[in-house]
Amino acid sequence: PYGARTMAARYRGESLVVGDVVTDPGFSDAERDAWSAAGVRAAIVATLAKGGRLVAEFGLHCTGPRAWTDAE
């Protein structure tokens, strides 16, 4: 429910950076609702995938929008 685009990227081992799920055009209304229900408005996630399988991830969620820096 958190977004086909974001989940596909995570299964490829790509980092996820979302500054504001409410204004990001890559999310549908249903996906925004899922993020909101989880109390997340912004997120940054580092993933580890092996062979198309999501093995682990480490992330930080924010309840409000956030302009992530390159250092973060």
Side-chain angles (χ1 to χ4, degrees):
Y2 298 104
R5 175 184 60 95
T6 60
M7 291 308 296
R10 291 159 84 181
Y11 280 98
R12 290 189 302 268
E14 298 173 12
S15 296
L16 171 67
V17 180
V18 179
D20 188 351
V21 72
V22 172
T23 61
D24 188 316
F27 293 94
S28 69
D29 288 341
E31 293 163 349
R32 286 185 182 93
D33 290 345
W35 285 75
S36 178
V40 179
R41 178 114 179 233
I44 189 167
V45 181
T47 61
L48 173 62
K50 292 184 178 183
R53 183 173 162 257
L54 183 60
V55 177
E57 61 183 16
F58 176 80
L60 178 68
H61 297 160
C62 294
T63 57
R66 182 176 177 123
W68 300 101
T69 67
D70 289 341
E72 293 172 317

